[in-house]
Each structure stands twice: as C-alpha cells, then as structure tokens.
C-alpha cells in the first residue's frame, strides 16, 4: 500500500510522514533527500550546472540507496551533507530537467515496489504514484511556514528573521510550482490539509485520522466480497 504526502517547503511533511509511517508500521521515503543527494554529488564532481547532458549522465549512473532513514550516494552516507543551503539553492538544476526526473521517479517506484510505504515530496501523488491508495497534500500559508521554520532554527541557536526565511521560501515555492514536469500541486484526488493555526500535535492527529480512514476504506475495497449461494 502506498500513501503519498506532498506539499510545499516547510509544511512539515517529513516529520508527519515519518510519524504516520511509524504508527502504521509502514516504511518511509523522503524523496527530497534523493534530489538533494544527486545535487550534492554534482557539486562534489564540479559538473557545470548548465551542462544538462552531463547532469543527466551523472543522475543515470548515481547509485542512490535509502535505508533506515539515511541516504547513500555510491555507498557514502551523505544524510547530513545534503542539508546545507548550498545544496538547497542548486537543487533546481537536478529537479527541473524532465530526463533527470524520469530517472529519479523510476528509482522511487523501484524502492516502493511490494512495500507498505509513506512517500513524501512534491509529485508523489501526481506523477510518481498516481494510483496511490491515499494521498495527502499538506500545506500552510507562506507566513505560517516561515514562522515555524524560524522557531525550529531558533531552537538550534540560529538567529534569522522571518522576512529572510520568507524570501528564500518564496523563491523555492516559485521554482517548485513552475517546473514543466513534477511541479508542486495537489493531485485531484488528494485530501488537502491546511494547517494554519494548528499545533504540530493537531496536524499529526488530523493526518493520522485521515490516513487511517483511507487505509481502512482501501482494505475494505480490496477484501474479497462474500459469496452467497
Ligand atoms: O523536501 P525537500 O525540501 O528536502 O526537497 C528539496 C527539493 O527537492 C524541493 O524544493 C524540490 O525542488 C525537489 N523535490 C522535487 N520532487 C520531489 C521532492 C523534492 O522536485 N518529489
């Protein structure tokens, strides 16, 4: 069974998806980490960002492994390295070209094959798993997302204004919404969860409730019907 959780940057998808997966005993896949990993790999090799052919070639050869919540590129665990602002600001070079998305999409489908999994990203319910059993689109206003991010960073001792966060977040939202393939949008059959004014616990509770409903409905649909003679 596949559950997709899509939404914009800073909507809290990763922590919710991880939590939902834990509660249901499903696996969890962070697809943003895959785009981040190939971006980091390109930075290490010094491939020019506008050399699309070489970027595609690199993405083709890259061995991405997602295991126990860690991401490996060619056997190297780069789970921390991929979270830098430098990686974030260059992801579009790998996330925009349709040919690269094709390869990463194929890897995501391969990882999900035969598994009960919660996958999280931008295009999971639209492009990658259009037949997913349950689709959630988790969102909040840009201001709310920026305020939450600021609080998270402050807890780690990083001081940055809401305006600064908002500016880079708006830029990412724009890039994510404009790409020709795999752009950020809710699937027509996704349940949209608007989380402004909700606490993290309330969001978790609501998403879990919706997913449980979906999983039950899906199990009921696939159960063999009674045969009466
Ligand atoms: O989720 P996260 O913020 O780590 O994703 C990083 C970037 O990777 C996103 O801003 C988006 O550009 C790209 N991405 C994507 N498709 C996905 C997941 C992430 O294009 N399924």
């Amino acid at each position: 069974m596949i559950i997709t959780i899509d939404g914009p940057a800073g909507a809290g998808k990763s922590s919710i998806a991880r939590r939902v997966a834990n509660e249901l005993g499903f696996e969890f896949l962070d697809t943003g980490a895959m785009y981040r990993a190939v971006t980091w790999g390109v930075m290490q090799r010094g491939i020019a960002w506008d050399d699309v052919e070489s970027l595609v070639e690199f993405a083709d050869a890259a061995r991405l492994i997602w295991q126990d919540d860690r991401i490996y590129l060619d056997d190297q665990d780069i789970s921390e390295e991929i979270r830098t602002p430098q990686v974030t600001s260059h992801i579009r070079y790998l996330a925009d070209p349709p040919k690269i998305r094709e390869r990463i999409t194929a890897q995501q489908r391969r990882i999900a094959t035969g598994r009960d999994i919660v996958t999280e990203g931008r295009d999971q319910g639209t492009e990658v798993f259009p037949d997913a059993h349950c689709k959630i689109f988790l969102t909040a206003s840009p201001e709310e997302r920026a305020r939450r991010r600021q609080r998270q960073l402050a807890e780690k001792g990083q001081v940055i204004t809401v305006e600064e966060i908002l500016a880079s977040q708006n830029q990412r939202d724009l890039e994510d919404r404009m790409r020709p393939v795999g752009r950020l949008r809710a699937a027509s059959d996704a349940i949209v969860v608007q989380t402004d004014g909700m606490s993290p616990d309330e969001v978790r509770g609501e998403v879990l409730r919706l997913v449980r409903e979906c999983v039950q409905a899906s199990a009921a649909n696939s159960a063999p019907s009674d045969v009466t003679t």
Side-chain angles (χ1 to χ4, degrees):
M1 183 174 292
I2 294 176
I3 294 165
T4 61
I5 301 187
D6 289 307
K13 300 182 301 294
S14 289
S15 60
I16 297 285
R18 218 176 250 117
R19 183 67 181 266
V20 169
N22 270 341
E23 295 272 340
L24 298 178
F26 280 31
E27 287 179 65
F28 161 67
L29 175 63
D30 174 353
T31 62
M34 299 174 79
Y35 285 96
R36 289 177 178 275
V38 281
T39 305
W40 181 86
V42 165
M43 284 169 73
Q44 299 310 300
R45 282 154 192 81
I47 301 169
W49 297 111
D50 59 358
D51 181 357
V52 177
E53 211 172 297
S54 298
L55 295 181
V56 173
E57 216 171 276
F58 175 75
D60 235 353
R63 274 200 318 117
L64 285 178
I65 293 174
W66 173 256
Q67 197 174 15
D68 299 331
D69 235 4
R70 313 284 302 174
I71 187 89
Y72 298 79
L73 177 67
D74 299 330
D75 295 329
Q76 185 182 354
D77 182 347
I78 53 165
S79 308
E80 267 82 47
E81 288 82 343
I82 61 170
R83 302 286 164 194
T84 64
Q86 287 84 346
V87 169
T88 305
S89 62
H90 288 94
I91 289 177
R92 67 193 153 96
Y93 294 103
L94 281 299
D96 282 352
K99 280 190 174 168
I100 298 182
R101 293 199 77 85
E102 244 174 56
R103 268 103 179 145
I104 303 222
T105 292
Q107 299 219 31
Q108 291 163 4
R109 291 186 181 138
R110 179 181 49 75
I111 292 170
T113 300
R115 291 186 170 163
D116 288 327
I117 193 163
V118 180
T119 75
E120 170 264 302
R122 304 292 187 287
D123 58 348
Q124 300 298 287
T126 51
E127 304 287 337
V128 185
F129 302 108
D131 298 327
H133 300 83
C134 182
K135 301 179 185 178
I136 301 285
F137 190 82
L138 194 66
T139 189
S141 67
E143 293 73 20
E144 174 95 15
R145 288 185 277 132
R147 278 194 298 272
R148 288 180 192 163
R149 182 84 186 124
Q150 190 203 32
R151 279 198 294 271
Q152 275 174 357
L153 291 173
E155 279 165 19
K156 292 186 202 160
Q158 295 176 36
V159 182
I160 176 163
T161 65
V162 172
E163 288 70 29
E164 283 172 282
I165 295 172
L166 201 50
S168 63
Q169 185 186 271
N170 284 343
Q171 179 61 31
R172 282 182 73 191
D173 281 358
L174 187 70
E175 289 167 6
D176 286 351
R177 291 202 165 98
M178 297 300 282
R179 61 178 50 103
V181 176
R183 71 191 159 88
L184 169 67
R185 69 190 163 100
S188 57
D189 53 350
I191 304 170
V192 177
V193 183
Q194 227 295 346
T195 65
D196 279 53
M198 292 168 78
S199 70
D201 275 349
E202 286 169 336
V203 178
R204 272 194 291 275
E206 176 63 0
V207 173
L208 258 171
R209 187 185 68 76
L210 291 166
V211 168
R212 283 211 166 99
E213 258 179 36
C214 243
V215 168
Q216 275 166 12
S218 185
N221 281 341
S222 59
S225 53
D226 287 345
V227 179
T228 45
T229 50

